[in-house]
Amino acid sequence: MIETMDQSFVLLQHWVVGFLPLALRPFAVVVLGVVGIVAVFPGLFALSVLLERKGLGRMQNRLGPNRVGPYGILQPIADGIKSLTKEDIVPLSADAAVHFLAPLVLVVAAFLGFAVLPMGRNMVLVDMDASLLFYFAIGASTELSIFMAGWSSRNKYSLLGAMRGVAQMISYEVPLLMSSVAVVMISGSLSLVKIVEAQNHYTWGLPHWYIFTPWGFAGFLLYAIASTAETNRCPFDLPEGESELVAGYFTEYSGFKFALFFLGEYLAMFSISGIGATLFLGGWSAPFEFLTWVPSWIWFFSKLMLSIVVFIWVRGTLPRLRQDQLMNFAWKFVLPLTMLNLFVAGLWRFLGEGWMRWVVCSAILMVAYVAMGRIGMRREHFGPRRYRYAE
Amino acid sequence: MSVVFYLLSGLTLAGGLAAILLKNTVHCALALTVAFAGLALLFLSLDAQFAGFAQILVYIGAVAILVVFAILLTRGSETPKDGVYSHHWPLGLVIAAGVFAVLGWAVLQSARVLPNETAVPSVTVLQIGNALMSRYVLPLEIVALLMTAAMIGAVIVAMHEKEGAK
């Protein structure tokens, strides 16, 4: 019974495929997996948009959407119908072909990332050897779609937003990759399935997740910072800062193309949270040994939604950074710490079992964190900003 | 030679042709990206995962972005009236033909140098990683040093300012 619950989606897939002739089966397996992904994540998108609007509303002492359906829970459906029926306006001077292609490229690239995500035991669409590399390769190509959107709109706000977005995504991609390399070093595999299996052990009923090690904890925090910046979420949402740039690179998009940008952003958030959960939070494994009877996909999606809630919480809490603060933070604080974390992960591997490695690794990371924070703050002189190029 | 190969090579060639024939410089850069993507997919269809993903990560993720940034930051994306073609295009044609001839010759000669390659070699990402970290670690480090030096040099050139300037 437990096994059936755990594997229910896999069994469903096998059952449906069983009706087809033998020649079509390999094809049908892939199509069914794709249909599952394309159905589930936009559903989650609707859910989390509502959650975000409600949650932000509570944090800002207002009600949030409450007109459509009880407690406003049908708001996403109303929004979807609205965006489908709205007029699609393309600016006269816009580059029509590139303007049309940009949201498509973004959404396709965002969907491709889910192909390698293990969402439960045996629930991965493509189990390839280098799935982490695949994910980051696909993630790198979303930058181009943001550039395409900003450039083709022929609007200064769009172009500024796109330039900011691309610069920010390139800068934070380095710490994002580096912080996950530590996990690859310890687990010895680029395959996300194997990384989850390496964490799916228990001592005294507690899991061997990488977040419960000094390097893993530091790596997770660095990954979380870098992924917030990579998905252009607050406090790193300068590319679409409403108060400065209207809506950034998608200012000139309306109707369903705007909805596609919105969808692409949330899909990127889901997949990057999924990768984070897989790398540091044990993917689909249960948090306690006595809870292993709960189906694995429930754990995966709980971790995913928990990260989304944290994203919303951070958005409701922190103010937006300034462009120079953003870049300084990436290159002078996050990147050196990720480099050090790589070194600490190597040390952790070669110090052997015992309490020694806990003390040594934690001490190195804590000292580095405090020292770099102090040094960085000492150089920071508060007062009016001096511009290097703009005066 | 399957259908996939012809589709992908068609895509790559179309991207490359568009990159040299289109008028707008940004369009050329985007078409070049299509050619890069086609090449990456060709690598993947040959089961060379590492080469394919590295192609996407480096060429689409970094080089294409660098190209469009360079276009936008230097002389704008406005196309000049008299076209973007150089006056020395016959010379360029000769050089390109020469490079193509050398490459074609090398590829055709490879059948004679390695006559007994019947089985498809399977190289996993793991093997490439092991080789880079053990046998080829010195070349890897030298390349890393060279690139770091180049990067620091580029930053110094870009940051050069007059004394006393803000």
Side-chain angles (χ1 to χ4, degrees):
Chain A
M1 183 57 201
I2 290 167
E3 191 67 17
T4 321
M5 280 289 286
D6 188 29
Q7 297 296 305
S8 47
F9 292 109
V10 180
L11 292 175
L12 183 72
Q13 190 186 29
H14 283 245
W15 181 69
V16 173
V17 169
F19 287 108
L20 291 166
L22 214 56
L24 281 176
R25 281 186 192 177
F27 184 65
V29 167
V30 177
V31 169
L32 275 178
V34 172
V35 166
I37 287 172
V38 172
V40 166
F41 284 98
L44 269 185
F45 159 66
L47 188 71
S48 50
V49 168
L50 182 69
L51 190 71
E52 173 149 23
R53 291 180 63 179
K54 280 295 219 188
L56 279 183
R58 293 299 297 179
M59 281 181 214
Q60 295 162 354
N61 249 344
R62 54 191 176 81
L63 289 171
N66 63 349
R67 294 289 128 177
V68 194
Y71 300 103
I73 52 170
L74 297 179
Q75 185 69 37
I77 299 169
D79 283 346
I81 294 170
K82 185 183 77 173
S83 66
L84 270 173
T85 51
K86 261 185 166 180
E87 186 188 357
D88 175 34
I89 302 164
V90 180
L92 196 62
S93 60
D95 197 310
V98 182
H99 190 267
F100 174 74
L101 278 176
L104 295 185
V105 173
L106 181 74
V107 170
V108 169
F111 266 122
L112 275 177
F114 292 107
V116 291
L117 209 55
M119 298 167 207
R121 196 176 279 122
N122 304 329
M123 278 169 67
V124 57
L125 185 60
V126 191
D127 180 14
M128 61 171 91
D129 202 23
S131 40
L132 192 64
L133 204 60
F134 172 84
Y135 179 77
F136 286 125
I138 294 301
S141 47
T142 55
E143 286 153 25
L144 208 68
S145 68
I146 285 178
F147 168 79
M148 283 162 74
W151 175 78
S152 65
S153 298
R154 290 287 167 110
N155 176 324
K156 59 184 172 186
Y157 298 121
S158 297
L159 190 60
L160 269 176
M163 296 298 254
R164 279 185 181 186
V166 172
Q168 167 179 336
M169 285 169 89
I170 283 192
S171 307
Y172 278 91
E173 201 170 281
V174 183
L176 190 78
L177 270 159
M178 287 290 188
S179 55
S180 33
V181 164
V183 173
V184 176
M185 275 164 68
I186 297 291
S187 63
S189 177
L190 276 168
S191 157
L192 292 169
V193 175
K194 283 188 185 134
I195 287 173
V196 175
E197 273 162 14
Q199 299 177 73
N200 194 13
H201 305 292
Y202 298 89
T203 313
W204 306 325
L206 294 171
H208 282 210
W209 295 355
Y210 289 138
I211 192 174
F212 299 130
T213 56
W215 61 270
F217 185 69
F220 178 71
L221 289 183
L222 294 166
Y223 181 90
I225 292 170
S227 59
T228 314
E230 195 69 13
T231 49
N232 297 335
R233 288 284 300 185
C234 198
F236 304 104
D237 60 348
L238 293 109
E240 47 202 76
E242 302 89 346
S243 50
E244 310 152 26
L245 293 179
V246 190
Y249 48 85
F250 53 85
T251 303
E252 293 291 359
Y253 281 90
S254 52
F256 201 64
K257 286 182 191 159
F258 177 82
L260 281 183
F261 270 104
F262 213 42
L263 175 69
E265 195 171 306
Y266 273 81
L267 287 178
M269 227 160 89
F270 291 140
S271 66
I272 219 158
S273 311
I275 295 282
T278 304
L279 291 176
F280 298 99
L281 304 176
W284 43 259
S285 65
F288 297 104
E289 197 170 15
F290 64 88
L291 286 176
T292 41
W293 56 272
V294 178
S296 53
W297 41 271
I298 288 189
W299 289 122
F300 178 79
F301 283 101
S302 316
K303 286 167 190 174
L304 194 73
M305 287 320 284
L306 193 71
S307 352
I308 299 300
V309 170
V310 173
F311 269 126
I312 294 168
W313 179 26
V314 167
R315 180 174 169 191
T317 310
L318 293 178
R320 186 178 298 140
L321 263 71
R322 216 169 53 200
Q323 188 71 24
D324 61 325
Q325 291 171 335
L326 179 92
M327 287 297 165
N328 281 345
F329 188 59
W331 294 104
K332 295 183 184 167
F333 187 79
V334 181
L335 186 62
L337 268 185
T338 47
M339 297 285 193
L340 186 76
N341 198 36
L342 280 187
F343 171 73
V344 170
L347 209 62
W348 174 268
R349 169 79 175 71
F350 288 110
L351 275 179
E353 295 283 331
W355 56 270
M356 254 301 272
R357 61 178 185 176
W358 285 87
V359 177
V360 173
C361 293
S362 314
I364 292 176
L365 285 170
M366 301 262 268
V367 168
Y369 172 73
V370 173
M372 281 178 53
R374 288 284 162 86
I375 293 169
M377 285 309 284
R378 193 179 299 157
R379 279 211 212 111
E380 197 71 46
H381 31 77
F382 296 100
R385 186 183 168 200
R386 290 169 63 199
Y387 291 90
R388 186 187 288 278
Y389 299 111
E391 266 179 20
Chain B
M1 293 300 149
S2 61
V3 184
V4 176
F5 173 80
Y6 285 112
L7 278 177
L8 291 179
S9 33
L11 179 77
T12 313
L13 285 178
L17 276 178
I20 51 173
L21 291 179
L22 286 176
K23 288 270 163 55
N24 191 321
T25 334
V26 176
H27 283 172
C28 293
L30 293 175
L32 188 66
T33 317
V34 173
F36 287 152
L39 268 183
L41 292 173
L42 270 177
F43 286 146
L44 287 178
S45 74
L46 290 172
D47 217 11
Q49 283 194 356
F50 183 75
F53 294 151
Q55 173 88 13
I56 298 177
L57 200 59
V58 174
Y59 281 88
I60 300 177
V63 171
I65 297 289
L66 193 74
V67 169
V68 289
F69 256 65
I71 292 169
L72 286 188
L73 291 181
T74 48
R75 31 163 229 190
S77 54
E78 301 304 319
T79 315
K81 287 233 165 41
D82 50 345
V84 289
Y85 297 114
S86 161
H87 297 299
H88 308 294
W89 63 269
L91 187 66
L93 198 67
V94 171
I95 293 173
V99 171
F100 182 76
V102 170
L103 283 177
W105 177 77
V107 169
L108 290 178
Q109 289 298 305
S110 68
R112 218 175 52 197
V113 179
L114 302 166
N116 297 324
E117 291 282 332
T118 47
V120 181
S122 68
V123 182
T124 63
V125 179
L126 188 72
Q127 285 166 325
I128 293 176
N130 278 335
L132 278 179
M133 280 296 140
S134 54
R135 189 170 168 200
Y136 299 105
V137 71
L138 192 66
L140 183 76
E141 290 297 322
I142 291 172
V143 169
L145 198 68
L146 193 70
M147 288 176 113
T148 313
M151 200 167 72
I152 293 171
V155 169
I156 287 172
V157 169
M159 292 294 285
H160 180 70
E161 283 172 31
K162 283 178 207 143
E163 290 296 317
K166 262 190 188 173

